[in-house]
Each structure stands twice: as C-alpha cells, then as structure tokens.
Amino acid sequence: MKVFMLGWEFPPYISGGLGTACHGLTKALSDLGVKITFVLPKPIETQTPTHVQMLTPQHCRASKTVTQTTETSQELKNVQFHTVSSPLQPYTTPQQYQKRLEEIIRQKQLLSSQSQQMLDQWLEQEIEGLSVGPGQYSGDMYTEVHRYAAAAVRLALQQEFDVIHAHDWMTYPAGIAVAAVTGKPLVVHVHSTEFDRSGEHVNQMIYDIERRGIHAAAKVIAVSYLTRNILMTRYGALGEKIEVIYNGVEPEDSNRISAQQVGIRSDEKIVLFLGRITMQKGPEYFLMAARKVLEEMENVKFVMAGSGDMMHRIIEMAAQMGIGHKVLFTGFLRGEDVNRVYQMADLYVMPSVSEPFGIAPLEALNHDVPVIISKQSGVAEVLTHVLKVDFWDIQEMANKIIAVLKYPPLQMTLREHGNFEVRKLKWSGAAKKCLKVYQEVTQVAV
Amino acid sequence: MPSVCFYFQVHQPFRLRHYTVFDKSGNYFDEFKNASICRKVANKCYLPSNRLLLKMIRRYEGRFKVSFSITGVVIEQFQKYCPEVISTFDALAETGCVEFIAETYYHSLSFLYSRNEFFEQIQKHIELMQKLWGQTPRIFRNTELIYNNQLAETIEAMNQFDAVITEGADRILGHRNANFVYRPPNCKHLKLLLKNYSLSDDIAFRFSNRGWEEWPLDAPKFARWIDQINGCGHTVNLFMDYETFGEHQWEDTGIFDFMYHLPEYILRHPDNNFMTPSEVVRTYPVMDVVDVPHVISWADMERDLSAWLGNAMQSNALHEVYKMEKLVKQTQDPQIIEDWRKLLTSDHFYYMCTKYFSDGDVHKYFNPYESPYDSYINYMNVLNHLRERCKQVLTQQTVSEQAS
C-alpha cells in the first residue's frame, strides 16, 4: 500500500497535536510496511506557533524550487518526505494562480478527460470563492493553502500511490486536487474542526473548505465520536462514511526521570496547563479554578505552558484576580522542556472547551502525572482512569484539583491505573485501523 | 431429602450527595436520590415480591418458608420513604414462616476495623428486629458474607447465635459440597451454613441470560436439580439479594412466575421441604469442620475483600473513617454518631472499586458516581467536614466545662 499523505506540520516543527499525531501515525504505518510520501510545507520556525502565524506570507521564503526531497530518517523507514516551498509568489492574483495551475496540469499528458473536467470545476469554484469572500486575513491563508495544493498536484504527478490521505483543512484542497488529477481515492483525516477552534464564530472560508473536503472524500477519519457527531450535525456528513480512529501515544521510557531532577522539587505542588493559550483550550477556566483552589490551599503553583492569542489577556486576568504570583507562564515548550515540565507536575489539567481528541493528557499519563480532562474532549471517550469535569464547572474543577493534591492515595491510584491504561493506546492500533480504511477505499475505487 | 433454605438480603445504603471541598453544610445524604431509588425498587421488587411470598406461604399452608436479612439503613429508608413496605414485611412476619437474620445495622465492614463498633451495630440490629417483628435472631450473617475463623469465634463468644451464614466458596470446601451443616474450627456449638452459589446464581444472575445453555429456566427444571441432590446433601442454601426479583431480573423475564411455581414442583418429591436457617441448624447434624483462615466474601469472581479493599483509595478511606471512631463517640452528639455510622456502610467503599471500572461492569448497580475517583473525592470531603464538626463540638464542650 502506497500513500500520498498531505500534512501541515511535523516534529520538531509543531504547534500542537497535529504534528505529533502525524508523526505517531506515519511511524506506525511505516512499521506495518505502508509506503508513505509525506508532503509538508517548508518548515518555518516561529516563536508564536499557531497555525495562523505559520501561514503568514512574510514568513514564507519564496523560492523557485517546487519540491525538495528530504532525507528519510531511520525510524520512519517507509516514509519519504517532501517539503513544498512556495511555487507561487505570495499574494498571487487568482488569475496568475490559475494560469500556473493550468500549466502544471498540462504537464501531465495522461489525464483522463473526466478528471480534467473535475479539476476545471474545482478550480472554478476555488477562484470564485476567492474573489467573493475576502475575509480579513483569508487572503494569506487562502493563497498559501492553494499554493500548497498546486505544488502537491505537481508532486503527485511524479509519484506512484494508491490512496491520498489529507490531514485537516489546510490540506483538503490539495487532497481534492490530487484526487481529481489522479483519480485515486481521498481519505480525509479530521483532527479538529472550525467549530472546535472558533466556537460559534466560524470562519466561513475555512468551514467551506472543510465541508468540501469531507464531502469529496471517499472516507473520513475522525479522531473521536465527539468529532464524528460534529461532522454529522454541522457538516452534513453521513455517519457510515466516518470512521473513528483514536490517536495513540508513543510508549515513554519511564527510566528517564533522573533523581536529580526530582530532587529539585520544592514542597510546593504544581498544577500544569499545557496547550495553546487560545479560546479552544479554556485557559480562563483554568485560572478561575486556580483562584478557587488558592482559597483553600496555600502551597500550590499553577504553571501555564504554551502560547497563543489569548496569552496577554490571561496574564492580565491572573494579575487582576490577585493570583499573579501563583501562576507561572513558560511560553511555548518543546522537546526536553516538555518532559521536564511533566516531571515537575503533580497534576495536569486540560479544561478544553472543545477538544476533538487531546493527545497531551496521554503524554501526561505517560509521564506518571494524574490528569483532569474536560468532558468536552474526545480523549474522555477512551480514558477511564482520569478525573473528568465540565469545562465550565469551575467549582468542581477546583474540588478535584484540591482532592488530587490533598489525598495521596487518589494520586497514587490514578497514576497506577492511568499509566497502565495509556499503554494500551498505541499508535500501532490506530495504524491498523487506518490501513483497513485504505483497503476499503482502494477496493471500492477498483 | 434436601431442605431448600431461602435467605434474601435486603439493603439500600444512604447515598451521599455531591459534596465538594467548598461545601460547609452538615447534610451529607442525597434525600432525593435515596427516596426515588427506594420507591422505585419498592415498586419493582420489594412490594410485588413480598405480596408474592405472602401468597405462596398461604397457598402452601406453612410448607413454604423463607428468611430475610434486612439492614437497619434500608428499614430507616422504608420508614421514611415508603412505609407500606414495612407493612408487607409485618404481614410476612405474622405468618410464622419467615425468619429474620441478624447483621450489622449499618451493613458495615466493622468486623475488620473495630470490634467495639461491630458489637454495637449487631445489638442495634437485633433490637430493631425485636421491636418490629418480635423476633430475636439466632442466625448471623456478616456484611457481604465476609467471614473467617476469627469471625466465627467472635460470634460464638457473643453467646447469642446458633449459626453463621457465609459463602460456599470452592477453596474452603475442597472436595466437599455446600449442602451440609458444618462447624468452624475452635467452635463448640456454633454452626456454619454455606451458600450453594451455583444454584443460587442460577436464579440471581443467570435466570434471564439467553446465552446460558440452561435458558429458559423453569420451576420443573430447577426442582429436578434440587431432587438430584438427594443423597448427597441435607440442605440447599439459596442465598441472594432480594432485588433479584423484579430489579436485577425484571418482571418480564418471568422471575415471579418461576418463584410462584417453584414450591409446587419441589414439594412433589416427598423427601423435599422448605426450612428456615434455624430449622436447618436444629434438624441436621454437623458433618465436618470447615477451616477458613483467610477472609472470604460473596463478591465477584474472587470472593474476597478486593471489591472494598482493592486499591489505595479504599483502604485509605476505610482507615480514615474508623480512625475517627473515638473522636466521634467522644462528642456524644447523636447526630454526629449517626452520620458517621451511615458513612460506614460498605457500599461507599464498593463505589471506589477500580477492579472492573474499565470494563464498565457489575459495580454499576445504583452507583451514584461516574467514576470510583469521584466517589473517593466525595467521601473524603464529607469525612473531613465531619471531623471538623467533631472538633468544633469538643472545643465547645471544653469551653463550657471551663466556664462552669
């Protein structure tokens, strides 16, 4: 089985769970002998890693190269990486964009007339959409997403594969285009939806892209039943088309905690928030719970690791609440720093307002840290040995935080069972299900 | 000539309300939930089952007999939420074909933690049986049939009981079967009645299981199994939760019909009869000594204490609540003592069990919590508040003593 996989981020250049998930999944698929061509925009290092930031054109180094094959790493032996730099200049006009694309398509002589027609239709729609709906910042993202699509199509024409696998909305147009050009089945993998990221204030353009991708796909993979429900109710997707495949976590070497690091710990308890500081992740609920906890307990510190568009507001909020000295902000953490912060933590809290899955709690459990997660998360469907609260229920969140800090037997039992449970959630299981999806769609296509 | 000995366990705990660390009220129990569960189970099980048993006892004119162990906490709830259940038990008691068995009033694990409290709760329960139904129980069953040699010795030393009831676990019986009267080691007159778990569970658990090869189970078939014991047993002890009838096995499974016709078929064989535990103990001789050095119970597959003491939270909660005994009793405050005792009910610890939690299994029956962790947090919050109350009362007492 050969897969043409379209991604947006990959470790170490990640801003969130998507990169981690792509890494875990491709590794496990590769172990199953699946050959993967992974297409990725050129990695761009940024300080404030949100998807929006990554997409802004000033960060994109325009270059003439269309594709560039990177070295295949040891552990991903069946994965070939292609990074796509901008094939077009930033702020390309739709006309230029179309011209360029047409040129790309002309290179492929073997195009069937049918797929040619589909492609034309698609292009028409895309360009129409661009001229009609100029959102505040949609121009940048839109161009970038389609630049990526164009490059992906060009790359796809040089590759042999059986199925196309696109991760999240940024890659859907590319997925649709590649499917149209090559006639191969498209699998769309929904790691999050616009409703998770933006609540009810959805960006219409992104929603449209998502909807089109979901409807164009032969099969949709959702990371949880929570997400599946959103796809059915908000995007009008058919239930039987959607396969739920939970994310996994890579087994952690538990011997890595050195005694020295543990020795550094003071007698203060540490409660950890780790994630983007954005509306979706519910940072303000974390703070409000923290204030309630501090009414009852003195020796607690609240660490907020991450960055995002709500960061300044949250810092101000902590100060206004008079708990500024108890809340520490670390900024965005990577690699070894993430491990270190987990090792310091007595408790990890994920108060997400809407979380399609949530890999971080699995990582916390992997590091022997007990976990409180919001009931509004996909991961709540798979984890039983964790504490669950409604994200808005500050009182209950504080109640549970205090209980974990105050009662060692609770911490002990959560840790013991949680760590055991998380070991069962491996990427290999997800990859097997994924392979089954590939087999289904390719059979139908033949 | 097997005698069929039915014993039904009737119990509902006082479930706690949602109690956070921020709560400061002394109301720990969920009135609404307890009332609605009590009424629901009364309508589905206690009332129809009691009426059925009454009808059967009248129909067979004294040849059909049963026994009950009814906890003090469930009786308190009947009195409060559905007194008509008490009336039907009154009617049963008057037939003379019903025996009441003694246990700890609060359905507690006190035997394992406080002998003093254990004795007090048994006395309280005996007094309740005397007051309500004019019977002084001569048979004892410990909470969840928890038992070992030491329990037998303790009960014999009380000099109030003729026999103890426990589980006929394979590992204590070895090659023997549960269908005889036995004796604990080191006991002179106390006898042992063992549950025939296979036949009991056929009714209590498997009755409606369509995957079971014996399904559907009807009265003639069950009576045949009883007849087969003839020659290798004196008594068939069918011990089960009373909620089996109408609640665990719904009415539409035919459980009530099964029960109604059962005596008819069992009594067809002239050697068969029905007996209460006291009659069994009086009628049959002790056949052997059964040694139980380790604690057994009737719970789950393991038949040990792991349902209440299987994880760190459970042992911590139990340890903490019994540690408070002295403090609680020092206050001499009846409300505090009662609240504390209601916290001793074993169900609170059962809810904290993580054993089958991932499988979402068995321990679900009227479990008010979403997870064992929630139940532990709730329990510990209540316990902390109760401790503060005790301290407050004691300081007030010392202050007023000093003043006088």
Side-chain angles (χ1 to χ4, degrees):
Chain A
M1 184 71 66
K2 285 181 189 154
V3 184
F4 191 73
M5 201 177 271
L6 299 156
W8 200 254
E9 56 172 38
F10 207 84
Y13 303 105
I14 60 166
S15 61
L18 180 58
T20 315
C22 287
H23 179 257
L25 184 65
T26 48
K27 185 171 177 290
L29 278 170
S30 152
D31 291 343
L32 289 177
V34 176
K35 298 245 185 291
I36 302 165
T37 303
F38 199 97
V39 185
L40 199 65
K42 195 170 174 77
I44 300 142
E45 207 163 352
T46 58
Q47 274 304 311
T48 44
T50 68
H51 292 296
V52 177
Q53 287 292 333
M54 252 179 93
L55 294 172
T56 50
Q58 56 262 43
H59 289 280
C60 289
R61 286 163 235 143
S63 89
K64 292 264 161 122
T65 21
V66 174
T67 61
Q68 176 193 337
T69 311
T70 55
E71 271 178 64
T72 312
S73 71
Q74 279 282 36
E75 58 170 10
L76 300 155
K77 52 184 187 298
N78 287 328
V79 187
Q80 198 187 14
F81 288 92
H82 291 277
T83 53
V84 176
S85 312
S86 320
L88 298 167
Q89 297 293 320
Y91 299 108
T92 326
T93 64
Q95 286 75 21
Q96 282 173 304
Y97 178 61
Q98 188 181 21
K99 216 170 135 191
R100 186 72 174 161
L101 250 178
E102 279 167 357
E103 189 187 308
I104 293 167
I105 291 156
R106 244 175 267 128
Q107 287 176 0
K108 180 90 176 180
Q109 300 296 322
L110 297 167
L111 271 183
S112 72
S113 62
Q114 196 197 357
S115 55
Q116 176 69 60
Q117 205 178 356
M118 279 169 72
L119 190 64
D120 285 345
Q121 269 176 7
W122 169 69
L123 287 170
E124 221 168 276
Q125 280 170 7
E126 294 304 283
I127 283 139
E128 202 178 320
L130 185 66
S131 51
V132 174
Q136 304 162 308
Y137 63 120
S138 67
D140 299 351
M141 274 198 296
Y142 196 71
T143 338
E144 186 64 23
V145 163
H146 289 282
R147 196 155 48 211
Y148 175 80
V153 168
R154 178 176 276 205
L155 188 64
L157 297 177
Q158 305 160 6
Q159 299 278 328
E160 286 273 323
F161 52 87
D162 308 304
V163 63
I164 307 149
H165 187 152
H167 293 279
D168 264 7
W169 73 270
M170 298 81 75
T171 69
Y172 294 168
I176 297 170
V178 174
V181 172
T182 62
K184 299 291 181 191
L186 170 67
V187 174
V188 149
H189 200 140
V190 186
H191 296 266
S192 95
T193 68
E194 183 58 10
F195 292 97
D196 299 308
R197 293 180 298 264
S198 309
E200 293 302 311
H201 309 285
V202 294
N203 180 315
Q204 187 62 39
M205 181 206 81
I206 295 174
Y207 171 80
D208 289 343
I209 292 177
E210 286 180 332
R211 189 183 173 93
R212 216 169 294 150
I214 287 151
H215 284 269
K219 200 97 188 188
V220 179
I221 295 172
V223 290
S224 63
Y225 283 94
L226 185 81
T227 301
R228 183 174 179 267
N229 284 340
I230 294 176
L231 295 181
M232 287 164 69
T233 54
R234 304 288 199 140
Y235 293 84
L238 289 173
E240 66 248 35
K241 205 171 129 178
I242 310 166
E243 196 71 38
V244 172
I245 299 181
Y246 294 117
N247 288 331
V249 67
E250 289 174 67
E252 193 72 35
D253 199 355
S254 53
N255 297 329
R256 277 169 50 192
I257 303 168
S258 73
Q260 202 187 355
Q261 278 167 324
V262 178
I264 297 167
R265 287 174 59 165
S266 65
D267 60 337
E268 277 200 316
K269 303 277 187 188
I270 292 174
V271 181
L272 175 67
F273 171 101
L274 191 146
R276 278 179 289 120
I277 302 184
T278 60
M279 184 234 109
Q280 185 193 351
K281 304 290 178 182
E284 69 271 40
Y285 299 100
F286 181 77
L287 271 194
M288 287 188 271
R291 180 170 60 179
K292 293 223 78 156
V293 170
L294 290 165
E295 284 170 15
E296 290 285 318
M297 291 180 82
E298 254 296 297
N299 57 335
V300 202
K301 282 251 160 73
F302 294 85
V303 175
M304 297 190 80
S307 56
D309 57 9
M310 273 176 76
M311 180 126 175
H312 292 292
R313 237 174 80 197
I314 292 296
I315 294 172
E316 272 169 29
M317 201 176 146
Q320 276 167 8
M321 285 177 170
I323 57 169
H325 60 299
K326 287 287 192 182
V327 186
L328 309 175
F329 293 87
T330 67
F332 186 74
L333 298 181
R334 263 202 195 103
E336 202 39 49
D337 286 339
V338 175
N339 287 335
R340 217 165 285 143
V341 82
Y342 276 132
Q343 282 163 23
M344 281 165 54
D346 295 282
L347 171 65
Y348 171 79
V349 182
M350 184 182 78
S352 294
V353 172
S354 180
E355 187 72 63
F357 187 78
I359 288 184
L362 303 185
E363 288 174 339
L365 288 170
N366 233 341
H367 283 90
D368 267 339
V369 181
V371 161
I372 298 178
I373 54 178
S374 80
K375 290 180 183 172
Q376 289 70 27
S377 65
V379 74
E381 295 167 20
V382 283
L383 293 179
T384 51
H385 293 284
V386 295
L387 301 178
K388 296 173 190 176
V389 292
D390 287 305
F391 71 87
W392 43 262
D393 196 347
I394 308 304
Q395 171 114 337
E396 187 56 22
M397 203 186 294
N399 180 42
K400 288 194 160 132
I401 292 171
I402 292 169
V404 172
L405 301 182
K406 215 159 82 173
Y407 306 127
L410 176 64
Q411 235 187 78
M412 206 197 296
T413 318
L414 279 169
R415 214 180 271 151
E416 219 170 84
H417 288 89
N419 192 282
F420 183 75
E421 185 172 54
V422 86
R423 276 164 203 281
K424 289 190 269 183
L425 300 168
K426 292 201 183 107
W427 275 115
S428 55
K432 271 177 209 149
K433 284 190 188 159
C434 205
L435 183 58
K436 228 180 105 191
V437 169
Y438 295 158
Q439 281 157 352
E440 271 174 45
V441 293
T442 45
Q443 266 163 19
V444 171
V446 171
Chain B
M1 42 150 25
S3 300
V4 176
C5 176
F6 269 115
Y7 137 59
F8 304 120
Q9 177 65 36
V10 186
H11 169 63
Q12 293 294 336
F14 278 99
R15 291 163 198 84
L16 295 169
R17 70 181 181 89
H18 182 61
Y19 200 88
T20 70
V21 70
F22 305 105
D23 279 290
K24 302 287 176 235
S25 125
N27 282 328
Y28 303 143
F29 303 98
D30 193 332
E31 283 272 331
F32 178 78
K33 192 178 283 162
N34 290 325
S36 50
I37 291 177
C38 193
R39 283 196 205 105
K40 184 180 159 237
V41 185
N43 286 326
K44 279 180 79 178
C45 162
Y46 303 139
L47 288 171
S49 304
N50 279 358
R51 282 194 291 262
L52 178 77
L53 290 182
L54 202 59
K55 207 163 105 186
M56 289 163 74
I57 287 169
R58 286 186 184 141
R59 180 178 165 194
Y60 297 103
E61 293 167 335
R63 289 198 297 156
F64 177 69
K65 291 164 188 177
V66 292
S67 64
F68 284 102
S69 183
I70 312 175
T71 65
V73 279
V74 77
I75 288 173
E76 281 184 28
Q77 293 187 64
F78 288 151
Q79 286 166 337
K80 230 170 158 178
Y81 308 128
C82 34
E84 63 272 31
V85 175
I86 300 282
S87 315
T88 56
F89 276 117
D90 290 344
L92 281 171
E94 277 165 24
T95 63
C97 295
V98 174
E99 177 175 359
F100 292 95
I101 295 167
E103 68 169 306
T104 55
Y105 187 99
Y106 292 92
H107 199 260
S108 69
L109 305 171
S110 51
F111 170 69
L112 303 169
Y113 288 89
S114 163
R115 255 347 112 74
N116 198 19
E117 181 61 22
F118 180 63
F119 294 139
E120 282 178 38
Q121 288 194 13
I122 296 173
Q123 287 319 325
K124 197 172 155 119
H125 190 249
I126 290 175
E127 281 160 26
L128 184 68
M129 294 300 114
Q130 288 167 335
K131 195 181 123 209
L132 286 177
W133 297 306
Q135 280 193 28
T136 305
R138 298 292 303 171
I139 309 290
F140 178 77
R141 66 81 71 176
N142 195 21
T143 309
E144 310 290 353
L145 301 193
I146 289 169
Y147 175 88
N148 65 2
N149 290 340
Q150 216 192 349
L151 178 104
E153 285 164 38
T154 311
I155 293 299
E156 179 165 86
M158 288 175 78
N159 230 344
Q160 283 172 292
F161 298 109
D162 300 324
V164 173
I165 281 175
T166 190
E167 174 75 1
D170 294 333
R171 65 172 182 275
I172 64 164
L173 282 167
H175 65 283
R176 298 165 294 191
N177 69 40
N179 307 328
F180 291 99
V181 177
Y182 292 98
R183 169 153 296 159
N186 310 322
C187 283
K188 291 205 171 54
H189 65 262
L190 191 79
K191 294 176 178 178
L192 203 51
L193 291 180
L194 300 178
K195 174 184 153 196
N196 183 319
Y197 72 82
S198 171
L199 286 172
S200 300
D201 293 352
D202 284 341
I203 300 174
F205 299 129
R206 288 181 282 272
F207 183 79
S208 62
N209 179 2
R210 283 163 188 254
W212 180 36
E213 56 193 17
E214 299 294 349
W215 186 88
L217 178 62
D218 55 15
K221 189 190 277 181
F222 197 81
R224 259 199 320 278
W225 293 344
I226 298 288
D227 292 343
Q228 281 164 11
I229 287 167
N230 228 325
C232 64
H234 291 148
T235 167
V236 182
N237 296 324
L238 301 176
F239 302 163
M240 61 198 75
D241 282 338
Y242 199 34
E243 293 79 18
T244 297
F245 304 96
E247 183 59 52
H248 299 334
Q249 310 289 346
W250 288 8
E251 190 186 352
D252 59 14
T253 62
I255 189 83
F256 289 116
D257 279 342
F258 167 81
M259 204 50 192
Y260 184 70
H261 293 289
L262 190 61
E264 190 184 318
Y265 290 94
I266 285 180
L267 293 173
R268 269 188 193 178
H269 196 297
D271 289 342
N272 295 347
N273 60 25
F274 287 90
M275 279 193 189
T276 67
S278 279
E279 287 173 333
V280 170
V281 169
R282 264 201 305 273
T283 311
Y284 299 111
V286 168
M287 293 301 277
D288 202 357
V289 170
V290 168
D291 188 19
V292 188
H294 304 295
V295 182
I296 60 165
S297 80
W298 73 354
D300 304 338
M301 286 300 287
E302 293 88 346
R303 299 203 151 76
D304 59 10
L305 291 179
S306 59
W308 307 275
L309 257 170
N311 64 39
M313 298 189 296
Q314 291 171 307
S315 70
N316 174 251
L318 274 162
H319 190 78
E320 288 294 322
V321 72
Y322 281 100
K323 213 167 76 183
M324 278 172 61
E325 180 179 355
K326 214 176 133 197
L327 189 71
V328 164
K329 288 181 178 170
Q330 238 174 14
T331 65
Q332 292 175 323
D333 181 325
Q335 191 58 50
I336 286 182
I337 295 172
E338 195 189 317
D339 284 349
W340 176 73
R341 283 183 158 161
K342 284 179 184 166
L343 290 174
L344 298 181
T345 302
S346 68
D347 303 65
H348 299 304
F349 312 101
Y350 197 67
Y351 298 145
M352 299 175 198
C353 180
T354 45
K355 229 178 4 174
Y356 298 108
F357 178 51
S358 298
D359 313 331
D361 215 12
V362 255
H363 292 212
K364 268 186 169 169
Y365 179 67
F366 289 134
N367 183 341
Y369 301 102
E370 282 173 31
S371 92
Y373 304 102
D374 290 0
S375 105
Y376 172 78
I377 293 170
N378 215 45
Y379 188 85
M380 294 307 279
N381 286 341
V382 168
L383 211 56
N384 279 338
H385 187 264
L386 185 69
R387 191 183 294 114
E388 290 311 309
R389 256 168 85 197
C390 293
K391 284 181 188 159
Q392 221 172 5
V393 169
L394 289 174
T395 4
Q396 274 168 6
Q397 282 172 1
T398 29
V399 168
S400 57
E401 270 168 37
Q402 281 165 352
S404 63

